[in-house]
Amino acid sequence: MSKTLIRGAKVLGGEPQDVLIDGETIAEVGTDLSAEGARVIEADGQILLPGLVDLHTHLREPGREDSETVLTGTKAAAAGGFTAVHAMANTFPVADTAGVVEQVWRLGQESGYCDVQPVGAVTVGLEGKKLAELGAMHESRAGVRVFSDDGKCVDDAVIMRRALEYVKAFDGVVAQHAQEPRLTEGAQMNEGRVSAELGLGGWPAVAEESIIARDVLLAAHVGSRVHICHLSTAGSVEIVRWAKSKGWNVTAEVTPHHLLLTDELVRSYDPVYKVNPPLRTEADVLALREALADGTIDCVATDHAPHPHEDKDCEWSAAAMGMVGLETALSVVQHTMVDNGLLDWAGVADRMSFRPARIGRLESHGRPVSAGEPANLTLHDSAYRGVVDPAGFASRSRNTPYEGRELPGRVTHTFLRGRATVVDGKLA
Amino acid sequence: MKRDLISAADLTRDDAVLILDTAEEMARVADRPIKKLPTLRGRTVVNLFFEDSTRTRISFEAAAKRLSADVINFSAKGSSVSKGESLKDTALTLEAMGADAVVIRHPDSGAPHRLATSGWIGGSVVNAGDGTHEHPTQALLDAFTMRRRLVGVDAGLGKDLAGCRITIVGDILHSRVARSNVHLLTTLGAEVTLVAPPTLVPIGVESWPCEVSYDLDAVLATSDAVMMLRVQRERMNAAFFPTEREYARRYGLDGERMARMPQDAIVMHPGPMNRGMEITAEVADSPRCTAVEQVTNGVSIRMAVLYLLLGGNEPALTTPARTEESK
Ligand SMILES: [Zn+2]
């Protein structure tokens, strides 16, 4: 069995300790552990986190392999410190059958860089009309528990109600892309001062908030759990906070880009800033950070959305929506949450590993860094400072809004069940 | 140095006054027996229209020809403009043809900005109307018309519109003319009031440097110029207003309302007019209505803009920041 000793790592940001990995598990955590027979990694004060878990990743395979494949996407995930990602269902064909989710699951197994947990579509073809075979997807080898029509909103209240009820039978959760479709016809950016000046169709906050309000009430009514994808407005935060205060089973995620970027960037008309839900205002950004800090928002999810160059190298209205995010997520979270004191590293472990794993009901991820646990680990050099260069991305796509921006921190090592997928910042 | 005209907001007061003064010079050329200047001989101006607008295209074409430029009309409507590559590929084609200026009309807001900042072309870019964003030469010709009427043809030279009270009425939400006019007219010192039903005023308008009123009658008596915007009848299908008749009653300009405007106040319309909707025939055909004059003035303004961008004095016009290709 191969052994690895990580020496002097700040486990969850605490005092430096040694962590011994033996095979697929953590054998020991302590001080002055013996290095005998082990490969030694001098962590030298770097932060050791449980392997990151993403609830919201677009891997694009099958169907859009020109933008990403399961292999390139999981490489990007490993490079970003992730050991598990949830692959969204809006592929071609849509992941609305046991066959497609099993295919994605198998491709993830073969990649070996990161566990891939397929998300199943809620409705056939993401059309919002007819429930997909949710039970069959759950019973498949992919073992689907998270269902989402992401990219589209399950806007029919009856379909949403039934889906919420139905998945209770196998402890599933519906992850809602909250976007009232009629209020967002022709929407190109956040509706507000900037859209008024730029003459771009507005995507009003209320289109998100009204769906969230409806869905938390529905979840309460039928006693189900609901998860809200990519919360983007201060008003959404208030609704989720209220729902949680009632004791309802509501969880929510925020993307790294909504923690950092605002709609002011759209003034450039550069489609790299075009994303759905759109970049909001400074006040929204601050509310989202606060909500992530106080736990109202449960987790960070990347909404990693790769697009080929030509889909962004055009005028704003013609451009595709979305940004890649796996390889910059932890740096953006350090920058927006840790370096300013809103969240400590134990909090980062909670919001980027423990809680998303719990929402997705993943058993071997999001576990404590202690003896006997699966060795899914991420070593992060928080002292590092670097400029984002998409040329170095493992993702097949380059549509990052952070090109040329200085961001703190770098993932130096990632371990998936004891095997290094990233070594010294490079894919193994 | 590359120079473009993308937004009226990019113009300083002095830039704008220089354009208006230059347009007066150009207007005098039109009174000569030979209406041509040799200024842009050997230069190529491309009219790149992704949207039908015969009026605007003809105006730019006449302006460029009076300056002796070579004009190429490129109508891209009907080609695959739903995918963005076509703007880029078209731009690269025009670059290869050696376009010194590209006059672009596009249904998508921001397309001219993108063309000017993407590194696709090297020539000047003139925005001839983009989506619901801006139409800066329309605002310039409107300001030119106002200065001539409200300040004076000769008395106006070198002057701005300080103290003029301008009311813009209609579909502000979807109007590039309104956006450009708010920027330009306030830069020139005018006081601007927008009038529309609340459904046709953009969320976020409170940050604009103007007043907003939902009541046309309340502002008529204090308006030196009332600009009526075209209102598409189809808007009522999206519930922006209940019926054509109700719109016309509440926000249309008829003879009775016009009579309540100050003695020398003018009525403007960027055209084409929807007679019976936002304006009655009586008003449209009255001597106070400058719609036809605006068309004439449009040629002078576009001559001035092309002249200053391509041949003229620095620093007549400012330019938005360029970014490198492949950002
Ligand atoms: Zn989504």
Side-chain angles (χ1 to χ4, degrees):
Chain A
M1 286 299 266
S2 69
K3 286 187 183 179
T4 304
L5 181 69
I6 304 171
R7 193 182 268 158
K10 294 179 177 167
V11 179
L12 274 53
E15 288 304 305
Q17 284 185 296
D18 300 345
V19 175
L20 182 67
I21 301 170
D22 188 355
E24 296 191 354
T25 51
I26 299 171
E28 210 176 344
V29 179
T31 45
D32 299 321
L33 298 187
S34 163
E36 199 182 314
R39 189 168 65 98
V40 177
I41 293 168
E42 297 293 350
D44 209 16
Q46 293 181 50
I47 311 295
L48 188 67
L49 298 168
L52 307 183
V53 175
D54 193 10
L55 269 178
H56 196 141
T57 315
H58 296 278
L59 292 179
R60 302 294 188 218
E61 189 176 4
R64 283 307 299 266
E65 292 82 356
D66 57 329
S67 49
E68 197 81 283
T69 64
V70 171
L71 181 60
T72 60
T74 51
K75 283 183 175 178
F82 290 87
T83 54
V85 297
H86 289 73
M88 274 300 174
N90 62 338
T91 48
F92 303 95
V94 171
D96 57 2
T97 61
V100 178
V101 293
E102 275 193 359
Q103 181 196 354
V104 173
W105 176 81
R106 189 175 40 73
L107 288 167
Q109 295 284 303
E110 286 165 10
S111 102
Y113 281 96
C114 175
D115 284 351
V116 174
Q117 175 56 58
V119 173
V122 177
T123 65
V124 174
L126 308 177
E127 282 174 355
K129 303 264 192 284
K130 191 175 179 301
L131 284 189
E133 289 193 346
L134 309 178
M137 289 189 274
H138 172 68
E139 285 159 18
S140 76
R141 298 180 72 195
V144 177
R145 273 216 175 79
V146 181
F147 297 90
S148 181
D149 276 359
D150 183 60
K152 290 194 178 165
C153 181
V154 182
D155 67 308
D156 183 312
V158 171
I159 298 283
M160 186 62 182
R161 174 197 168 145
R162 300 282 184 253
L164 286 168
E165 288 180 298
Y166 192 81
V167 301
K168 271 200 291 190
F170 37 88
D171 195 19
V173 64
V174 177
Q176 175 70 294
H177 170 116
Q179 175 177 6
E180 210 292 316
R182 287 278 285 148
L183 283 172
T184 50
E185 280 171 18
Q188 294 286 332
M189 68 171 298
N190 179 50
E191 182 167 61
R193 298 165 61 133
V194 182
S195 66
E197 276 184 53
L198 297 185
L200 288 171
W203 199 132
V206 63
E208 174 173 308
E209 294 154 4
S210 58
I211 292 291
I212 296 176
R214 182 199 73 178
D215 287 352
V216 299
L217 290 165
L218 278 176
H221 181 61
V222 300
S224 296
R225 61 188 183 115
V226 66
H227 177 75
I228 311 298
C229 296
H230 40 54
L231 220 75
S232 73
T233 78
S236 298
V237 167
E238 285 307 305
I239 295 164
V240 170
R241 190 172 279 140
W242 170 73
K244 286 191 168 187
S245 77
K246 297 278 198 184
W248 299 341
N249 214 337
V250 176
T251 55
E253 69 190 33
V254 62
T255 71
H257 47 271
H258 287 113
L259 291 172
L260 179 59
L261 309 175
T262 71
D263 63 351
E264 289 291 329
L265 291 163
V266 182
R267 291 184 187 279
S268 67
Y269 286 105
D270 186 337
V272 77
Y273 301 115
K274 186 174 177 181
V275 65
N276 194 27
L279 300 178
R280 304 287 188 184
T281 68
E282 185 75 22
D284 294 307
V285 166
L286 296 177
L288 293 168
R289 290 181 186 181
E290 194 192 317
L292 183 64
D294 72 20
T296 301
I297 295 176
D298 299 82
C299 60
V300 174
T302 66
D303 197 4
H304 176 82
H307 290 291
H309 183 64
E310 60 270 23
D311 287 0
K312 288 287 191 179
D313 191 30
C314 55
E315 60 271 32
W316 181 273
S317 305
M321 291 187 280
M323 306 169 165
V324 293
L326 286 168
E327 294 172 76
T328 47
L330 189 51
S331 288
V332 172
V333 170
Q334 182 184 337
H335 176 59
T336 56
M337 300 297 297
V338 180
D339 288 353
N340 56 18
L342 282 173
L343 202 62
D344 58 15
W345 287 107
V348 172
D350 184 61
R351 308 299 195 275
M352 296 186 78
S353 181
F354 297 153
R355 287 220 229 178
R358 221 177 300 148
I359 293 166
R361 300 290 193 254
L362 300 182
E363 279 163 13
S364 62
H365 292 274
R367 302 294 307 162
V369 181
S370 53
E373 295 289 351
N376 295 319
L377 296 165
T378 296
L379 193 59
H380 177 74
D381 179 4
S382 62
Y384 178 86
R385 293 289 178 279
V387 170
V388 176
D389 177 10
F393 281 177
S395 170
R396 180 162 283 180
S397 290
R398 301 279 179 271
N399 52 305
T400 173
Y402 310 115
E403 179 177 2
R405 209 183 253 262
E406 191 184 284
L407 287 177
R410 181 175 78 119
V411 171
T412 59
H413 292 76
T414 307
F415 294 90
L416 177 63
R417 280 182 291 282
R419 190 177 83 78
T421 53
V422 174
V423 175
D424 290 328
K426 297 198 172 53
L427 287 168
Chain B
M1 181 184 155
K2 290 169 191 155
R3 296 183 304 180
D4 312 293
L5 178 59
I6 305 300
S7 163
D10 297 335
L11 299 171
T12 65
R13 184 241 174 226
D14 290 351
D15 291 335
V17 170
L18 175 62
I19 295 170
L20 300 188
D21 289 351
T22 307
E24 280 297 354
E25 289 172 37
M26 298 300 172
R28 279 182 214 124
V29 174
D31 296 335
R32 293 191 202 159
I34 295 170
K35 294 180 167 49
K36 263 193 153 179
L37 289 175
T39 322
L40 297 184
R41 183 162 292 146
R43 315 296 291 278
T44 300
V45 174
V46 176
N47 288 321
L48 176 58
F49 277 55
F50 288 88
E51 189 178 77
D52 277 336
S53 178
T54 312
R55 302 163 64 95
T56 305
R57 184 182 54 73
I58 286 176
S59 182
F60 270 105
E61 186 172 353
K65 284 183 170 164
R66 284 190 193 169
L67 293 168
S68 304
D70 296 323
V71 179
I72 298 172
N73 288 316
F74 196 116
S75 173
K77 192 178 180 275
S79 65
S80 61
V81 291
S82 59
K83 281 301 263 184
E85 296 95 306
S86 75
L87 177 60
K88 181 182 183 182
D89 289 338
T90 308
L92 296 176
T93 306
L94 301 181
E95 178 70 357
M97 285 162 49
D100 295 293
V102 176
V103 175
I104 176 174
R105 161 74 67 118
H106 202 286
D108 293 338
S109 300
H113 181 100
R114 192 84 177 116
L115 189 63
T117 57
S118 60
W120 296 332
I121 61 166
S124 293
V125 176
V126 179
N127 182 0
D130 62 326
T132 55
H133 177 223
E134 286 222 35
H135 194 355
T137 60
Q138 177 70 42
L140 284 162
L141 76 87
D142 290 337
F144 183 74
T145 305
M146 289 174 206
R147 195 177 76 168
R148 285 189 139 196
R149 284 284 201 122
L150 303 177
V151 187
V153 175
D154 294 320
L157 284 175
K159 299 235 175 71
D160 57 23
L161 295 172
C164 294
R165 298 163 301 178
I166 316 295
T167 298
I168 303 175
V169 187
D171 185 356
I172 309 297
L173 178 63
H174 301 97
S175 176
R176 49 194 172 210
V177 176
R179 281 176 180 75
S180 286
N181 264 304
V182 168
H183 286 306
L184 182 70
L185 298 177
T186 53
T187 297
L188 287 169
E191 295 163 23
V192 179
T193 302
L194 304 176
V195 177
T199 45
L200 291 174
V201 176
I203 295 289
V205 76
E206 60 281 359
S207 65
W208 293 12
C210 60
E211 299 296 315
V212 176
S213 168
Y214 305 136
D215 183 359
L216 178 56
D217 291 314
V219 299
L220 285 173
T222 52
S223 301
D224 299 311
V226 176
M227 183 186 299
M228 303 306 295
L229 300 174
R230 178 181 170 80
V231 175
Q232 294 179 9
R233 291 186 162 84
E234 307 82 72
R235 299 285 179 218
M236 71 182 184
N237 299 331
F240 285 105
F241 48 86
T243 61
E244 259 179 85
R245 284 320 306 154
E246 171 148 328
Y247 183 87
R249 264 199 311 274
R250 290 177 64 84
Y251 295 100
L253 191 61
D254 58 12
E256 191 267 317
R257 280 192 167 123
M258 184 168 68
R260 283 188 269 134
M261 291 165 52
Q263 194 76 50
D264 299 319
I266 55 172
V267 175
M268 307 181 70
H269 197 297
M273 291 189 270
N274 255 328
R275 290 171 186 246
M277 182 75 175
E278 70 269 5
I279 194 166
T280 61
E282 180 191 359
V283 176
D285 297 330
S286 86
R288 300 176 84 166
C289 180
T290 62
V292 177
E293 231 170 291
Q294 285 169 265
V295 175
T296 312
N297 292 341
V299 178
S300 303
I301 277 291
R302 286 161 182 139
M303 287 175 77
V305 166
L306 290 172
Y307 169 77
L308 291 169
L309 283 175
L310 290 181
N313 322 336
E314 308 237 340
L317 299 170
T318 55
T319 176
R322 283 178 183 272
T323 53
E324 294 305 308
E325 164 86 282
S326 83
K327 260 279 162 71

